[in-house]
Amino acid sequence: MKELPDYSRRGFMRTSALGLGAGMGLGLGSFEALAQTAGRDIGTGQTPPADPLERRAAGRPEPELNGTLRPTPPEQRLGWAVCGLGHFAQNYAIPAIARASEAKLTGLISGNRDKALGVASAWGVPEGSVYDYRMQALADNDAVHIVYVITPNAIHEENVIAALEAGKHVFCEKPFAHNSAAAQRMMDAAKAADRKIMIAYRAHFEPNNVALKEMVRKGELGDVWYATSDHHRPLDPSVERDQWRMVRDLAGGGSLMDIGIYSLNGLIWLLDEVPERLVATTFSPRTEDGRFGEIEAIGQVQLVFPSGRRASISSGYVADKKRIDLWGSRGVAVLDPATAYSGNKFTLSNADGQEMPTPSKASEQQFVGEIDHFSKGVRDGDEILTPAEMGLRDMRLLEAIYVSAERGEWVEVNPDGTMR
């Protein structure tokens, strides 16, 4: 067999030296010396790294991940089934599960099987993992660990209890229920099943809100004796997702129940204090379509906290505004928008002017953040930041607000939200 040429650098040097050296009067040693001299980095006196043809890959050190964590391997992520496949579920919840580091979509639950099968096909969920609202067969699916309930408020109870009886943990959209009695029954069912419930208060994971919470905790705003929180958005009877919100038996109330809960829960969380007294008023303008015939359009509440702090919160189904203001002795912090799905902003005003702190993550992180948080809470036993107890407390406070509005008088409440 014919011997193959030696294409290594040393072989090339040897061949070149023998061929060129004979004609140029250079010996092998002279040629290698010339090659080494020519190989130096001109102007630095330094010899460059070894020839790439001789180098073997040694591996680079671990890179920085820009503040993110490497996702958990897919086989270790918890499986989520989404219950209710409406606008929010398909546009926000399911895509967030797909982006999450600790979760994966493994099931769907709907009263419309054709719709559910279409969603399943789009997101790679097996047909056998599509269920109706009874959920009995869900108990046999070990790939589903958590059920995300996204249905009208009054239907939460039957969905949540069905999921618990199937042996699954539950992530429930806010408000927890349409009244506190239903919320308590769900908590009792969770205790009996030894399963966890978390309420989807996404603002607790929204980067701007988290930055303000940390600023308050550190005392950087000084003394905060007054706060306002206003959440309004137009109700649109022409879209299906708003039609059930006009029915008191399904929604439990109007704007206060739907988005006023952001105003209430947000201030309690940011100030780390539950009000002890409140007084409320509600109002519903007349419209040709009668959209506010059963529910309040506008709600306004004055809150007094044990520390002496005062706050004003409002909700509405007419305008469009989602804003929180904390009035501190060292500065006024403003979230505007405060709880939108995206594009939230945080502005701090003080004697030196205004500045806009820039959180390290986008507002959309709130959806992934809450999903990953509950996944780890279920898997690792970590503390749940927005547990069912918080949801029950807020339901009781909302009921106290409605009582105050009906009576036209101040109402005293306990730390758990119950009326005194």
Side-chain angles (χ1 to χ4, degrees), residues 7 34 51 126 171 295 317-318:
Y7 288 116
L34 177 63
D51 191 311
F171 188 72
I295 59 171
Y317 269 158
V318 179

PDB file of all heavy atoms in Angstrom, residues 7 34 51 126 171 295 317-318:
ATOM      1  N   TYR A   7       0.576  15.311   6.334  1.00  0.00           N
ATOM      2  CA  TYR A   7       0.100  16.673   6.211  1.00  0.00           C
ATOM      3  C   TYR A   7       0.142  17.416   7.538  1.00  0.00           C
ATOM      4  O   TYR A   7      -0.407  18.489   7.660  1.00  0.00           O
ATOM      5  CB  TYR A   7      -1.345  16.681   5.689  1.00  0.00           C
ATOM      6  CG  TYR A   7      -1.448  16.290   4.236  1.00  0.00           C
ATOM      7  CD1 TYR A   7      -2.128  15.144   3.853  1.00  0.00           C
ATOM      8  CD2 TYR A   7      -0.859  17.079   3.259  1.00  0.00           C
ATOM      9  CE1 TYR A   7      -2.222  14.787   2.528  1.00  0.00           C
ATOM     10  CE2 TYR A   7      -0.953  16.729   1.920  1.00  0.00           C
ATOM     11  CZ  TYR A   7      -1.633  15.578   1.562  1.00  0.00           C
ATOM     12  OH  TYR A   7      -1.732  15.222   0.239  1.00  0.00           O
ATOM     13  N   LEU A  34      13.956  30.051  10.977  1.00  0.00           N
ATOM     14  CA  LEU A  34      13.308  31.109  10.210  1.00  0.00           C
ATOM     15  C   LEU A  34      11.798  31.078  10.414  1.00  0.00           C
ATOM     16  O   LEU A  34      11.150  32.108  10.578  1.00  0.00           O
ATOM     17  CB  LEU A  34      13.647  30.934   8.713  1.00  0.00           C
ATOM     18  CG  LEU A  34      12.968  31.934   7.748  1.00  0.00           C
ATOM     19  CD1 LEU A  34      13.440  33.350   8.077  1.00  0.00           C
ATOM     20  CD2 LEU A  34      13.316  31.567   6.304  1.00  0.00           C
ATOM     21  N   ASP A  51      -0.461  26.373  16.695  1.00  0.00           N
ATOM     22  CA  ASP A  51      -1.182  26.276  15.436  1.00  0.00           C
ATOM     23  C   ASP A  51      -2.508  25.548  15.660  1.00  0.00           C
ATOM     24  O   ASP A  51      -2.551  24.499  16.276  1.00  0.00           O
ATOM     25  CB  ASP A  51      -0.314  25.477  14.449  1.00  0.00           C
ATOM     26  CG  ASP A  51      -0.864  25.568  13.033  1.00  0.00           C
ATOM     27  OD1 ASP A  51      -2.074  25.353  12.873  1.00  0.00           O
ATOM     28  OD2 ASP A  51      -0.075  25.854  12.138  1.00  0.00           O
ATOM     29  N   PRO A 126     -51.233  15.108  23.881  1.00  0.00           N
ATOM     30  CA  PRO A 126     -51.886  13.914  23.344  1.00  0.00           C
ATOM     31  C   PRO A 126     -53.411  13.986  23.492  1.00  0.00           C
ATOM     32  O   PRO A 126     -53.926  14.546  24.462  1.00  0.00           O
ATOM     33  CB  PRO A 126     -51.309  12.776  24.197  1.00  0.00           C
ATOM     34  CG  PRO A 126     -50.052  13.325  24.782  1.00  0.00           C
ATOM     35  CD  PRO A 126     -50.275  14.791  24.964  1.00  0.00           C
ATOM     36  N   PHE A 171     -53.744  25.669  40.661  1.00  0.00           N
ATOM     37  CA  PHE A 171     -53.370  27.071  40.466  1.00  0.00           C
ATOM     38  C   PHE A 171     -54.640  27.757  39.986  1.00  0.00           C
ATOM     39  O   PHE A 171     -55.143  27.448  38.899  1.00  0.00           O
ATOM     40  CB  PHE A 171     -52.254  27.160  39.424  1.00  0.00           C
ATOM     41  CG  PHE A 171     -51.634  28.520  39.269  1.00  0.00           C
ATOM     42  CD1 PHE A 171     -50.816  29.044  40.248  1.00  0.00           C
ATOM     43  CD2 PHE A 171     -51.846  29.267  38.116  1.00  0.00           C
ATOM     44  CE1 PHE A 171     -50.219  30.292  40.101  1.00  0.00           C
ATOM     45  CE2 PHE A 171     -51.250  30.505  37.951  1.00  0.00           C
ATOM     46  CZ  PHE A 171     -50.440  31.024  38.955  1.00  0.00           C
ATOM     47  N   ILE A 295     -74.499  44.669  38.056  1.00  0.00           N
ATOM     48  CA  ILE A 295     -73.187  44.843  38.693  1.00  0.00           C
ATOM     49  C   ILE A 295     -72.839  46.321  38.813  1.00  0.00           C
ATOM     50  O   ILE A 295     -73.432  47.163  38.130  1.00  0.00           O
ATOM     51  CB  ILE A 295     -72.085  44.133  37.885  1.00  0.00           C
ATOM     52  CG1 ILE A 295     -72.031  44.713  36.457  1.00  0.00           C
ATOM     53  CG2 ILE A 295     -72.322  42.625  37.860  1.00  0.00           C
ATOM     54  CD1 ILE A 295     -70.857  44.255  35.630  1.00  0.00           C
ATOM     55  N   TYR A 317     -65.375  50.038  35.168  1.00  0.00           N
ATOM     56  CA  TYR A 317     -65.593  49.352  33.902  1.00  0.00           C
ATOM     57  C   TYR A 317     -65.861  50.343  32.768  1.00  0.00           C
ATOM     58  O   TYR A 317     -66.520  50.004  31.798  1.00  0.00           O
ATOM     59  CB  TYR A 317     -66.790  48.405  34.033  1.00  0.00           C
ATOM     60  CG  TYR A 317     -66.450  46.995  34.462  1.00  0.00           C
ATOM     61  CD1 TYR A 317     -67.420  46.188  35.054  1.00  0.00           C
ATOM     62  CD2 TYR A 317     -65.188  46.444  34.241  1.00  0.00           C
ATOM     63  CE1 TYR A 317     -67.144  44.882  35.417  1.00  0.00           C
ATOM     64  CE2 TYR A 317     -64.903  45.146  34.604  1.00  0.00           C
ATOM     65  CZ  TYR A 317     -65.890  44.359  35.192  1.00  0.00           C
ATOM     66  OH  TYR A 317     -65.607  43.063  35.552  1.00  0.00           O
ATOM     67  N   VAL A 318     -65.363  51.586  32.897  1.00  0.00           N
ATOM     68  CA  VAL A 318     -65.628  52.605  31.883  1.00  0.00           C
ATOM     69  C   VAL A 318     -64.330  53.100  31.239  1.00  0.00           C
ATOM     70  O   VAL A 318     -64.183  53.077  30.018  1.00  0.00           O
ATOM     71  CB  VAL A 318     -66.403  53.792  32.489  1.00  0.00           C
ATOM     72  CG1 VAL A 318     -66.653  54.852  31.419  1.00  0.00           C
ATOM     73  CG2 VAL A 318     -67.724  53.318  33.091  1.00  0.00           C
TER      74      VAL A 318
END
